């Protein structure tokens, strides 16, 4: 039996879990108020504060660090890397501490996991951070050399549900082709070819379908005209892309449950917008099918919107089931996905990778 501690720091919370093999022993989400976080100007300064939160969780749960087989943290903003499980090393820690590739609370996951594990001589890992990059070179071209398409997406959940669906199909993830659609506040749609995500929209920076709060791909000339109209600041333009776009812009809410209720109540405009979002997601599924030469073993719908079987799942199925069978895996349990990644390594089913990897993704 392997006991694993999972550390998943978010912007306003720290999610923690203890697993024994596949069995969840204890789990908690510790919320952090704006007042608690106010004294910290930089993410790295939250280190001791977050570490104490974790120690209190362990004390309350009745588990001593010496009893763990491994500790795995949420992967932060690193250089682009292939998917997999990585041993936490000094270079990784240095880059996360400096925020070399960006500041985010997830950077603290590896830093804290390594310190806690080192005290007791146990291994520490990260797995499938958002910067996973397995894109084929031909998919990187945008249409102009000044702009390169980048791989930033919900790698952890996409990889986890892809493995789960492969298991349901009684096949190896590394031997099949899937299109995985993660639908939350951001929406990422990845073409998984034999274990690698060879093409995916940049769910963070405005590529893809519109979402509950993001505008997705927009008509560029209109965007440029607005940006130079003198009516908008840089920050206001960025908010149009991420935060105040999508359902927020059209329906004044980012709550998909509220939108679903409005559709149930027969509100025509809400129905039109929600259907338009489904159509845009379907178009991107089609794009990823083209990347896979339409050799697709399954389409996987996941994330919070995948709970909406009456509307979103139904419409997406109508648009795309001719491409491949639809598999619905609602939600996204990041802590479970991290624990499963660590367990595969502990059982010898997967080898860890060294950061930075030597692998070049130019298939």
């Amino acid at each position: 039996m392997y006991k694993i501690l999972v550390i998943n720091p978010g912007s306003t919370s720290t999610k923690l879990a203890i697993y024994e093999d596949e069995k969840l022993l204890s789990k908690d989400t510790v919320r952090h108020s704006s007042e608690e976080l106010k004294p910290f100007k930089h993410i790295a300064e939250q280190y001791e504060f977050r570490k104490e939160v974790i120690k209190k969780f362990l004390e309350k749960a009745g588990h001593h660090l010496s009893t763990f087989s491994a500790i795995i943290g949420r992967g932060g903003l690193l250089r682009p890397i292939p998917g997999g499980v990585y041993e936490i090393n000094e270079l990784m820690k240095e880059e996360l501490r400096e925020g070399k590739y960006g500041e985010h609370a997830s950077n603290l996951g590896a830093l804290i996991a390594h310190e806690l594990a080192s005290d007791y001589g146990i291994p520490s890992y990260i797995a499938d951070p958002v910067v996973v990059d397995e894109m084929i070179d031909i998919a990187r071209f945008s249409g102009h050399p000044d702009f390169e398409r980048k791989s930033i997406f919900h790698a952890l959940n996409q990889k986890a549900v892809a493995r789960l669906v492969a298991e349901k199909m009684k096949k190896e993830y590394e031997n099949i082709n899937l299109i995985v659609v993660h639908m939350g506040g951001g929406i990422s749609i990845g073409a998984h070819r034999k274990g690698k995500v060879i093409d995916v929209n940049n769910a963070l920076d405005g590529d893809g379908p519109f979402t509950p709060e993001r505008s997705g791909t927009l008509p560029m000339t209109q965007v440029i005209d607005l940006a130079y109209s003198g009516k908008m600041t840089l920050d206001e333009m960025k908010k149009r892309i991420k935060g105040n776009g999508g359902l927020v812009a059209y329906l004044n809410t980012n709550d998909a449950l509220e939108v679903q209720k409005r559709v149930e109540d027969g509100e025509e405009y809400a129905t039109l917008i929600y259907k338009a979002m489904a159509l845009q997601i379907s178009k991107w599924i089609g794009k990823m099918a083209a990347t896979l030469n339409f050799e697709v073993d399954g389409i996987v719908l996941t994330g919070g919107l995948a709970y909406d079987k009456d509307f979103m799942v139904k419409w997406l199925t109508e648009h795309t089931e001719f491409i491949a069978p639809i598999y619905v895996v609602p939600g996204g349990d990041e802590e479970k996905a991290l624990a499963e990644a660590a367990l595969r390594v502990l059982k010898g089913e997967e080898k860890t990778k060294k950061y930075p990897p030597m692998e070049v993704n130019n298939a």
Side-chain angles (χ1 to χ4, degrees):
M1 303 287 281
Y2 296 101
K3 193 158 75 168
I4 300 161
L5 172 62
V6 179
I7 300 172
N8 182 5
S11 300
T12 59
S13 68
T14 303
K15 296 180 180 180
L16 302 160
I18 298 170
Y19 279 82
E20 192 168 68
D21 286 357
E22 294 90 356
K23 183 182 177 183
L24 176 64
L25 300 182
S26 185
K27 190 173 185 177
D28 195 12
T29 298
V30 183
R31 306 286 178 186
H32 310 306
S33 68
S34 55
E35 286 301 311
E36 286 180 301
L37 299 178
K38 191 175 181 179
F40 307 111
K41 292 183 179 179
H42 300 285
I43 293 294
E45 294 172 4
Q46 297 180 21
Y47 183 87
E48 292 297 331
F49 167 74
R50 301 271 189 158
K51 190 172 74 172
E52 285 306 308
V53 167
I54 296 164
K55 287 184 173 180
K56 288 177 181 177
F57 164 75
L58 290 170
E59 186 178 339
K60 183 178 178 181
H63 294 270
H64 194 272
L65 280 166
S66 61
T67 64
F68 286 92
S69 307
I71 302 177
I72 187 164
R74 172 86 182 275
L77 297 177
L78 296 160
R79 64 185 72 186
I81 56 176
V85 182
Y86 287 80
E87 296 179 22
I88 300 170
N89 61 22
E90 291 303 318
L91 177 61
M92 182 188 294
K93 288 167 56 184
E94 180 183 331
E95 292 180 354
L96 291 171
R97 198 178 293 114
E98 293 174 0
K100 186 173 181 178
Y101 298 97
E103 282 197 85
H104 190 270
S106 59
N107 289 8
L108 296 168
L111 296 173
I112 299 172
H114 188 266
E115 179 182 331
L116 296 179
S118 296
D119 289 343
Y120 293 92
I122 56 179
S124 58
Y125 312 119
I126 65 164
D128 293 326
V130 294
V131 294
V132 163
D133 184 352
E134 299 167 339
M135 285 175 67
I136 51 176
D137 286 344
I138 198 171
R140 298 182 189 278
F141 291 91
S142 65
H144 192 286
D146 285 350
F147 308 98
E148 183 180 87
R149 295 185 66 240
K150 295 182 179 179
S151 177
I152 300 176
F153 69 109
H154 306 89
L156 183 61
N157 188 47
Q158 282 215 20
K159 291 270 188 177
V161 297
R163 289 181 182 278
L164 179 63
V165 168
E167 190 177 322
K168 287 181 179 179
M169 297 169 68
K170 294 183 169 40
K171 295 182 179 179
E172 296 291 327
Y173 171 51
E174 291 76 14
N175 292 330
I176 60 174
N177 295 342
L178 297 171
I179 297 170
V180 181
V181 186
H182 178 102
M183 302 180 290
I187 295 176
S188 63
I189 302 164
H192 295 236
R193 185 180 70 188
K194 294 180 170 39
K196 290 187 177 182
V197 185
I198 64 168
D199 195 2
V200 66
N201 64 300
N202 183 335
L204 183 65
D205 289 337
D207 190 26
F210 73 80
T211 84
E213 57 188 28
R214 299 175 193 177
S215 295
T217 304
L218 296 171
M220 285 308 301
T221 301
Q222 293 179 44
V223 173
I224 293 167
D225 287 344
L226 181 59
Y228 281 88
S229 67
K231 300 176 182 177
M232 308 289 290
T233 65
L234 176 61
D235 284 343
E236 286 171 338
M237 282 300 300
K238 287 184 175 180
K239 273 287 187 183
R240 289 273 170 124
I241 303 295
K242 184 173 63 176
N244 291 337
L247 295 184
V248 172
Y250 286 116
L251 300 174
N252 201 33
T253 181
N254 65 356
D255 186 348
L257 290 175
E258 179 186 329
V259 176
Q260 290 158 29
K261 179 66 166 58
R262 289 162 70 172
V263 173
E264 285 176 0
D265 291 344
E267 186 179 321
E268 290 185 9
Y269 187 63
T271 303
L272 184 65
I273 296 303
Y274 204 39
K275 277 189 172 181
M277 188 164 79
L279 177 60
Q280 287 203 3
I281 295 169
S282 299
K283 288 179 179 180
W284 275 86
I285 291 172
K287 289 183 179 186
M288 295 306 157
T291 299
L292 294 170
N293 297 322
F294 287 89
E295 296 171 358
V296 185
D297 296 294
I299 297 169
V300 186
L301 307 180
T302 186
L305 285 173
Y307 284 108
D308 179 16
K309 295 182 179 180
D310 292 336
F311 301 114
M312 186 56 65
V313 170
K314 175 176 174 285
W315 294 334
L316 292 176
T317 300
E318 289 172 353
H319 282 305
T320 65
E321 66 177 344
F322 74 95
I323 298 172
I326 307 290
Y327 297 85
V328 182
V329 186
D333 192 333
E334 292 175 336
E335 292 73 55
K336 182 181 179 183
L338 287 168
E340 288 173 345
L343 185 61
R344 289 195 301 272
V345 169
L346 292 170
K347 286 184 171 181
E349 297 171 358
E350 183 176 332
K351 291 183 178 179
T352 58
K353 295 180 178 178
K354 185 177 179 181
Y355 182 83
M358 299 300 293
E359 183 175 344
V360 178
N361 302 306
N362 59 359

